[in-house]
Structures are given as C-alpha cells and as structure tokens.
Amino acid sequence: MRYELADHEWTAIKPKLPNKPRGVPRVNDRRVLNGIFWVLRSGAPWRDLPAAFGPYTTCYNRFVRWRRAGVWGRIIDALAAAHDAAVQMIDTSIVRVHQHGACITRNQRQSMGRSRGGLTSKIHAVVDSNGLPVRLALSPGEAHDVRLAGKLLSRLKSGAMLLADRGYDADWIRELAVKKSAGANIPPKSNRSDPICFSPYLYRARNRVERFFNRIKQCRRVATRFDRLAANYLAFVQLASIRLWLAARYESAS
C-alpha cells in the first residue's frame, strides 16, 4: 500500500526501535509503523485506519507510548547526527489548527495562538545544506520567529555559516554565531543603522529550508494540525522528517 516503509527504510529504522526482551512479544513493529505513516500521510482520523494495519488502537497507543518515551526524538537525532554542518538555515512555517484540534482548554500551553487567520501553530526548524532537518520545535502561531532561535542554534557547529531571513536580524543572534565561531549571513533590517556584511550570493541557498517545509507539508497531518496536544503534533513533524532522512540516505548510498 502507499506510504508504507520500503525495505531499505525498514532496515535503517529497525535497529533504532526499543527492544522488548521479556514479556509478551509486541505486535509486528513494521505493520504498526506502516499504519502510523498512513495516518501521517493521509491525514485521516485514527479510527479510519485500514484493517490491513491491525486495530487502530494498537497503532495509536504505540505512537503515543513511543512519543512519551522519546523514541521519535532519538531516531531523528541519530539520523541528523550525520548532517552537513558547513551551512545551517533556520526558519519557521505557520500551520492552521483544525477545529478538531482546537477543543482543549488553555490552548497557549499546547502551542496554539490566535491571530487574524484564527488558531495557528508555528514550526521552527534548522536544516543543513541539503535541506534536511537538524532540530525542530513548536510554538504558538503569533510568536516571533526568534523566540526559539537560541535553543535551536545552541548546537551550531564551529565554522558553520548560518543563513536566515531578516526576521532573525538581531544582534544577539549574530553574537551567538560569533561565540560558536560561526558566520551569520542575514539580510539587515531597513531600520538598522550600523552596516552589516551580507552576501546575496550565499543567501540564495536559503530556499532549501523553504523546500523542507514544502516537503513535510505533503503529509496532511503536518499541513493541518488535527492534534490537540502539541507533543503529538510535533511527533508527526518528526516522523515526516525521519522519512526525509531515510530517503536521503538511500539516495546517497545508491
């Protein structure tokens, strides 16, 4: 069926799944993961999961249990450890919150914000020179782009070149890059009084972070937020990113 893990993807991801040496054996991990990826790509409710993937409760419970155990985060971190650190790009993307995901009190605690367009969330991402995700985070939609920049750029490698749009033109971000022995190629804001060195030629590569957002939003569970809990929605963003890394590893190996 569409969206299922290919053999090379399963071979790469299987060793990174939790072991269960004792007790009742788990239901087939590959079948459950295929069901989770089907929901991710199609955007359908869990209850509409085809019977070929087994009970929807098994797939949902495994998705939540492994999210709470940090499995999805560890897998994306393990894959991203091999990223190209020469150039890193940071940006954000707005996502509309579906009415089914907005039925929770105190939305601010679930990274939802109300703006002119209604309830929205914002995905923050740092990608490498190949447009592959290195770090991910979530915030309310009305939050400023630089709100999570310090956290996302805390692992900026020495000698790297940081590319960002003028929304990240802040002295403290440039100082952070200097402390990390990295460069910052960010277009200056119109109200900046002191001159800043900026290369339009290097800046052209920044479109790869835009391509990253376009690629993960091909997954309907990412393009629209249906999840009430921010942790569940971020887990779907991580799963979409895992598929990108698996595809990139296969292309580089072949």
Side-chain angles (χ1 to χ4, degrees), residues 231-254:
N232 282 353
Y233 178 69
L234 182 59
F236 274 122
V237 176
Q238 292 171 333
L239 285 167
S241 301
I242 288 171
R243 294 302 291 267
L244 294 184
W245 270 106
L246 294 176
R249 287 183 56 174
Y250 180 70
E251 290 175 2
S252 62
S254 60

Side-chain angles (χ1 to χ4, degrees), residues 6 22 51-52 99 132 143 174 201 209 242 251:
R22 295 176 295 181
Q99 59 182 353
L132 295 171
R174 298 180 185 276
Y201 177 78
V209 67
I242 288 171
E251 290 175 2

Side-chain angles (χ1 to χ4, degrees), residues 46-241:
W46 288 100
R47 290 179 181 272
D48 293 342
L49 190 71
F53 300 115
Y56 79 90
T57 52
T58 300
C59 293
Y60 174 76
N61 291 337
R62 187 81 57 85
F63 167 77
V64 173
R65 188 184 312 120
W66 283 0
R67 186 265 297 170
R68 290 174 177 168
V71 173
W72 311 128
R74 288 196 297 271
I75 292 176
I76 187 67
D77 288 343
L79 294 171
H83 73 276
D84 184 354
V87 179
Q88 295 194 10
M89 293 154 270
I90 185 171
D91 204 357
T92 62
S93 183
I94 293 287
V95 175
R96 290 289 301 273
V97 178
H98 193 271
Q99 59 182 353
H100 293 166
C103 310
I104 192 168
T105 57
R106 300 181 181 179
N107 290 333
Q108 282 296 120
R109 293 188 178 181
Q110 298 301 326
S111 296
M112 298 182 197
R114 188 171 296 280
S115 59
R116 185 178 299 177
L119 277 179
T120 56
S121 294
K122 181 176 286 188
I123 304 172
H124 300 249
V126 174
V127 305
D128 67 2
S129 56
N130 297 312
L132 295 171
V134 178
R135 303 199 70 185
L136 300 163
L138 201 64
S139 75
E142 81 281 2
H144 197 279
D145 289 358
V146 302
R147 177 170 177 176
L148 299 179
K151 174 184 177 181
L152 293 174
L153 297 175
S154 61
R155 300 178 188 174
L156 191 65
K157 299 294 184 180
S158 175
M161 175 58 69
L162 174 65
L163 303 181
D165 61 25
R166 58 172 43 90
Y168 292 88
D169 180 26
D171 291 337
W172 69 269
I173 291 181
R174 298 180 185 276
E175 292 171 1
L176 175 63
V178 172
K179 290 180 181 178
K180 299 286 185 177
S181 300
N185 193 57
I186 305 172
K189 294 180 180 178
S190 58
N191 60 354
R192 178 175 281 278
S193 57
D194 54 322
I196 292 293
C197 180
F198 170 70
S199 170
Y201 177 78
L202 292 176
Y203 188 71
R204 293 178 186 177
R206 199 196 66 84
N207 67 76
R208 292 182 182 177
V209 67
E210 304 288 354
R211 295 183 201 175
F212 161 72
F213 286 120
N214 289 337
R215 292 175 71 186
I216 64 171
K217 285 186 177 181
Q218 292 176 12
C219 301
R220 299 190 67 185
R221 273 279 180 163
V222 174
T224 302
R225 177 174 169 178
F226 297 96
D227 298 278
R228 300 179 183 181
L229 298 180
N232 282 353
Y233 178 69
L234 182 59
F236 274 122
V237 176
Q238 292 171 333
L239 285 167
S241 301

